[in-house]
């Protein structure tokens, strides 16, 4: 049911933990399953993500997608990190079962929430970034929806 990559990132998650005095922190939750994900970003003065860590209180797919999402945004600029959609995370994991697509949306939303926090703290605007919703329970019904 799960790809080898999903199993790998679930059993051996990368970048789990927290960053003290992070440049941006985002916490999101899914009302339906009750899972919660928090992302920490360390962003340098050039807008490059030097480090990214996560804490996820959630299902295995949520842990695997958090782990992969942190790997994908590391070393990217904030603008490039915005392009790390849930689809990109799922592709990098060789797919997720349809009922688990909403878990990957949580990862995308957590990155956006952390970027939003960073932008707020620095009084900047990141083009294309919208104020994140804290609750993204629509994912299951509309897996194609773009956030
Ligand atoms: Fe809730 Fe996976 S079941 S995030």
């Amino acid at each position: 049911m799960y790809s080898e990559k999903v199993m790998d990132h679930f059993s051996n998650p990368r970048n789990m933990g927290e960053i003290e005095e992070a440049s941006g922190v985002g916490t999101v939750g899914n009302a339906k399953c009750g899972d919660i994900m928090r992302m920490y970003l360390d962003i340098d003065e050039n807008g490059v993500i030097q480090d990214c860590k996560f804490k996820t209180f959630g299902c295995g797919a949520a842990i695997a997608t958090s782990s992969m999402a942190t790997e994908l945004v590391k070393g990217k600029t904030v603008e490039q990190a915005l392009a790390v959609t849930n689809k990109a995370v799922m592709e990098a994991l060789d797919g997720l079962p349809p009922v688990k697509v909403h878990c990957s949306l949580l990862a995308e939303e957590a990155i956006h929430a952390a970027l939003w926090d960073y932008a707020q703290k620095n009084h900047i605007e990141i083009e294309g970034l919208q104020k994140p919703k804290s609750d993204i329970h629509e994912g299951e019904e509309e897996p194609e929806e773009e956030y």
Side-chain angles (χ1 to χ4, degrees):
M1 178 174 176
Y2 288 113
S3 73
E4 268 174 38
K5 280 193 188 159
V6 173
M7 292 312 291
D8 177 31
H9 278 262
F10 167 63
S11 328
N12 182 19
R14 326 297 199 261
N15 310 309
M16 199 153 65
E18 54 188 278
I19 298 174
E20 272 178 43
E21 297 185 32
S23 317
V25 182
T27 308
V28 294
N30 181 306
K32 261 194 199 159
C33 62
D35 291 351
I36 297 167
M37 194 181 286
R38 180 171 293 162
M39 285 276 175
Y40 301 83
L41 296 175
D42 181 20
I43 301 169
D44 70 13
E45 61 283 0
N46 300 317
V48 177
I49 298 172
Q50 294 295 340
D51 201 7
C52 178
K53 291 206 188 298
F54 79 93
K55 271 187 168 178
T56 293
F57 185 83
C59 73
I63 290 167
T65 50
S66 312
S67 168
M68 182 53 93
T70 57
E71 291 276 272
L72 291 178
V73 301
K74 255 200 207 179
K76 291 208 159 73
T77 64
V78 293
E79 286 80 13
Q80 290 166 338
L82 261 189
V84 177
T85 60
N86 77 303
K87 282 189 190 135
V89 175
M90 281 198 296
E91 271 170 30
L93 285 169
D94 292 337
L96 278 176
V99 296
K100 289 288 174 184
V101 170
H102 77 273
C103 317
S104 65
L105 280 168
L106 212 52
E108 177 186 316
E109 196 71 13
I111 294 171
H112 287 189
L115 287 172
W116 181 263
D117 182 44
Y118 162 75
Q120 293 276 295
K121 280 182 181 154
N122 291 280
H123 310 287
I124 55 168
E125 229 176 84
I126 301 173
E127 210 186 314
L129 178 65
Q130 285 168 10
K131 193 172 191 306
K133 289 172 267 172
S134 59
D135 174 14
I136 49 161
H137 54 87
E138 259 93 48
E140 233 170 332
E141 289 80 23
E142 295 162 43
E144 292 307 316
E145 197 171 329
E146 292 276 359
Y147 280 87

